[in-house]
Amino acid sequence: MNQLIGRAAPLRMRPRVLVPADPTVAREAPAGTEAVVVGAGVAGISAATILAERGVATTLLEAKPTLGGRLGAWPHTLPDGTEQIVEHGFHAFFRHYYTWRAVLRRIDPELGFLRPIGGYPVISRRWPPEDLTGLPAAPPFNLLALFARSPSLTVRDLRDADVALGTELLTFERGRTTPAFDHLSAADFLAGLGVSDRARAMLFEAFARSFFSGADGLSAAELIAMFHYYFLGNPEGIGFDAPGTDHLSCIWDPFARYLRARGARVRPGTALVSLAPADARWRLALADGSQLTTRHVVLALDPGALRAVLAASPAAAAAAPRLAAQAAALRVAPPYAVTRLWLGRDVAAQRATFSAVSREPTLDSITVYSRLEQPSADWAARTGGAVVELHSYSCDAPDADTATTRMRAELAALWPETAQTPLVHLQQRMEAVAPAFPPGSAGLRPGVRTDARGVRVAGDFVELPFVCGLMERAAAAGVLAANDVLAEVGAGPEEVRGVPQRGLLAGLPPRAVAALGRFGRRRRAALPDRRAP
C-alpha cells in the first residue's frame, strides 16, 4: 500500500515509511560532491548531517555565534557569577518525531539525554485543569476516552456540536481538507463546532496557540492537519520528552563535533547576505565580505531571513521567479516572548514541570526548569529557589519588559505562591522569527525543490508532501533537501518515516458526512437539557 494514502485506524496505528531507502542505488555521493547549508537550526543540521555522512564536502553556515536556531542555547552569567546555559524556550520532543529523533540518534544512539516530562496539564484561573496525558493513541478510542474523562466536555457539548464539521477532524485528507478549509480561520472553525466556551478554551485554543499564532491568524486547514498529526493520527499518543540538561551540552556541541569528524566545515557567526547564479553554480556573498561558490545550496533559514536574502539577490530572483515570489509572500508569526526567572523560593510541590495556560492575555505556558534539567536543578538545590520559564507564543506586548511584567502578574494569579517570591534574576527575550500559517496561505510557501536548480529550501514553514509539524517538519525538510542533492548526484535517499497520512474516516462520501450532520441534529434534539438554570 502507498504509505501516503494509509488511514489512521486502530489496527494500523504504526509509523509509516514515507520515503523508502533504495538499496539498488549507491549510498555514497561521488567524490568531489560539495554543498553549502545555510542555517544551523533543526532543518540545517538535519540536512548537513545526511550530506556529510554520505561523503559530501559540506559547509554549514550559521549567522549566530551558536548553533540551533529556535532550539539554540548560549551561556548566561547570573549575578552570583554562576554560568548557566539558557535556551530560546521550552520545546517538547514528541515521540512521533521520527525523523528528528533519527537524526538525534547520530549523537546519542539511545537518546539517553531525553527524559519523560509526565503530565501535560492545561491550566486556567477560571476552570479546573485538563490533563491530556494517558489517552489511547488510536482513534476513535482516544476521542472516547477524552469525552469520558474530560471535565470540559459535557452532554451539552455533544448536543450542541456540529457533528458534520467535527467529523472533519476524523476525515482529514490533505488533498481535500486543505482546499476546503484553508480560507477559513481556526477561530471560525472552532466557533462553528458549537462546543462550549470552556471546551474551546481548554482543549482547542491552547493547542492552536502553540503554533505561534492566535486562532484568528491560523488557517483552519493547518489546525485540522495538526490535530490529526498530534492527536488523531499519531501512533505514539501525545506524550513527549525533553532534554535532562541544556541544549548546548547535549545537542549542539555534540552535533558540531559529529559534523567536523566527517569533514564538514561548521562556521557559526557567518551570515549569508545574497546569492547569485554563476556558471551552473551559485555564488554566496557573506556578511564578512568573503564569498563561496557551490553547485548545491540548502537554504535552511527562518522565513524572514529567507525573504531578506531573496530580496537582496536580484540575479537569483531573475533566475528563480517562483522562489522569489514565494519568499516575498512568506509571513512571520507575531513575536513570541520568553522570560526565565530565577526565584528565591521553590514553587508549590504539586506544580507540573510543564503547563499549558488557557485564556490569559499574555501567558501561554509555564516550565519549571529546576524540575526539568540538571543545571537548573543544581542551582535550585544550592539556593533553595526555583528556575521558572514563562512563554507567550503570540505576544502583543510592545516590548520584552512589558511582556515580562504581564506574564509575572498572570503567573501570580495562577500560582499564588509566586506573588511574594523574591526574584533573584531574570533573562528575557522577544523576537519574531517563527512562520505564520494564516488563512489562504496554503500552496504559496516554497517546497524543498525550487525553480533555481541547485537551490533547496528547508524549514518548518516549507510545503512538504506529507503532514508533520514544528521540529519534525524542520527535520523532515532538511532530510528531503539532502535527499534531493543525493538524487542529483546518483546516490540513494535517506529513509523518512511518519504518521498515517489520512484520518480514520478519510474517504467518507459527502452524503455520509451529510447524514452524520442530520444524525447529529436528531441526536441533539433527543438529548435532555441539563443546562444550569
Side-chain angles (χ1 to χ4, degrees), residues 70 212-213 217 302-307 327 329-336 431-438:
R70 295 205 309 276
F212 298 99
S213 294
D302 67 65
L306 178 65
R307 189 173 58 199
L330 287 173
R331 295 294 174 261
V332 176
Y336 60 91
E431 53 193 353
V433 294
F437 299 89

Side-chain angles (χ1 to χ4, degrees), residues 76 78 82 84-87 339-347 351-354 366-391 411 415 418 421-427:
H76 181 78
L78 303 183
T82 303
Q84 293 236 302
I85 303 298
V86 297
E87 287 97 30
T339 298
R340 187 172 293 197
L341 308 173
W342 284 262
L343 302 176
R345 286 195 298 269
D346 200 359
V347 298
R351 305 307 183 193
T353 301
F354 174 82
I366 309 165
T367 307
V368 184
Y369 260 75
S370 45
R371 298 177 186 172
L372 173 70
E373 54 147 43
Q374 196 58 49
S376 293
D378 291 342
W379 183 88
R382 187 174 68 253
T383 64
V387 183
V388 176
E389 194 168 83
L390 311 178
H391 307 147
L411 173 68
W415 292 1
T418 65
T421 299
L423 178 65
V424 176
H425 184 60
L426 69 79
Q427 192 264 352

Side-chain angles (χ1 to χ4, degrees), residues 357-358 360-366 390-392 407 410-411 414:
V357 176
S358 178
E360 291 298 327
T362 310
L363 184 61
D364 284 308
S365 70
I366 309 165
L390 311 178
H391 307 147
S392 180
M407 289 193 290
E410 293 162 21
L411 173 68
L414 290 161

Side-chain angles (χ1 to χ4, degrees), residues 213-287:
S213 294
D216 287 325
L218 181 68
S219 159
E222 182 72 7
L223 176 72
I224 296 169
M226 292 301 97
F227 204 81
H228 170 83
Y229 180 69
Y230 284 95
F231 187 56
L232 293 178
N234 168 15
E236 313 298 336
I238 60 171
F240 57 85
D241 308 307
T245 189
D246 66 86
H247 295 169
L248 184 62
S249 300
C250 68
I251 299 176
W252 304 121
D253 281 351
F255 264 125
R257 293 192 296 269
Y258 184 88
L259 290 168
R260 287 175 174 133
R262 283 150 186 80
R265 299 176 64 203
V266 181
R267 297 179 57 181
T270 307
L272 173 66
V273 175
S274 64
L275 72 163
D279 298 327
R281 293 170 68 83
W282 290 92
R283 183 174 63 252
L284 283 68
L286 307 181

Side-chain angles (χ1 to χ4, degrees), residues 104-105 107-116 242-245 250:
L104 287 169
R105 288 185 189 279
I107 57 171
D108 185 343
E110 303 302 322
L111 298 182
F113 66 92
L114 293 177
R115 50 178 260 184
T245 189
C250 68

Side-chain angles (χ1 to χ4, degrees), residues 6 24 72 148 182 193 237 261 279 320 343 364 369 441 446 484 497 512:
T24 67
D182 185 55
L193 284 180
D279 298 327
L343 302 176
D364 284 308
Y369 260 75
S441 63
D484 198 59
R497 296 191 305 156

